[in-house]
């Protein structure tokens, strides 16, 4: 976009702002949401029949989606090097806040 090229440069790069939530809290929230959100395309009525423990052990639980997105690895086993690369990308590309401390973030 023309405007961004006027604002950002190699000396003044743009950064994304993101809020991170504890992964267990996020997973629990996703479980409750997807079990009830019939309007959402990702709605899954099977989740309403599962306990949280069953969900955690099922194929429906997310598997490090942010790491996979950042390192462009949608499937397969993640390696330690994938985690290190994702952390490096976040460090250099993002301003990070914490969901549990949103007022300060």
């Amino acid at each position: 976009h023309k405007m961004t090229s006027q604002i950002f440069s190699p000396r003044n790069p743009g950064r994304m702002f993101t809020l991170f939530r504890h992964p267990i809290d996020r997973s629990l929230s996703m479980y409750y949401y997807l079990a009830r959100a019939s309007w959402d395309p990702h709605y899954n009525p099977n989740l309403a029949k599962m306990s949280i423990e069953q969900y955690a052990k099922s194929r429906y639980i997310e598997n490090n989606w942010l790491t996979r997105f950042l390192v462009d690895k949608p499937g397969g086993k993640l390696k330690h090097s994938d985690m290190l690369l994702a952390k490096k990308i976040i460090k250099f590309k993002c301003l990070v806040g914490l969901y549990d401390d949103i007022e300060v973030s």
Side-chain angles (χ1 to χ4, degrees):
H1 190 277
K2 194 173 189 178
M3 179 65 91
T4 57
S5 65
Q6 294 172 357
I7 298 171
F8 303 119
S9 69
R11 283 191 58 221
N12 185 33
R15 294 190 80 184
M16 178 179 76
F17 181 79
T18 186
L19 287 173
F20 284 113
R21 189 173 185 188
H22 192 285
I24 292 176
D25 293 339
R26 197 179 50 72
S27 291
L28 289 172
S29 179
M30 186 64 74
Y31 162 76
Y32 287 117
Y33 175 77
L34 292 177
R36 292 168 180 76
S38 58
W39 59 90
D40 189 298
H42 296 102
Y43 165 68
N44 187 340
N46 295 325
L47 298 183
K49 302 170 191 167
M50 292 181 167
S51 69
I52 291 171
E53 184 176 347
Q54 289 169 322
Y55 170 70
K57 294 177 180 178
S58 76
R59 64 185 173 97
Y60 300 117
I61 195 148
E62 294 174 343
N63 185 349
N64 295 301
W65 73 268
L66 182 59
T67 301
R68 292 181 178 285
F69 177 79
L70 290 171
V71 301
D72 195 24
K73 192 172 186 179
K77 187 172 180 173
L78 290 171
K79 299 176 184 172
H80 185 73
S81 60
D82 295 321
M83 183 265 303
L84 294 175
L85 177 57
K87 285 175 64 173
K88 184 176 181 178
I89 292 168
I90 290 167
K91 179 179 180 178
F92 289 103
K93 300 285 185 181
C94 300
L95 297 172
V96 176
L98 300 177
Y99 184 85
D100 288 342
D101 204 4
I102 201 165
E103 297 280 328
V104 177
S105 295

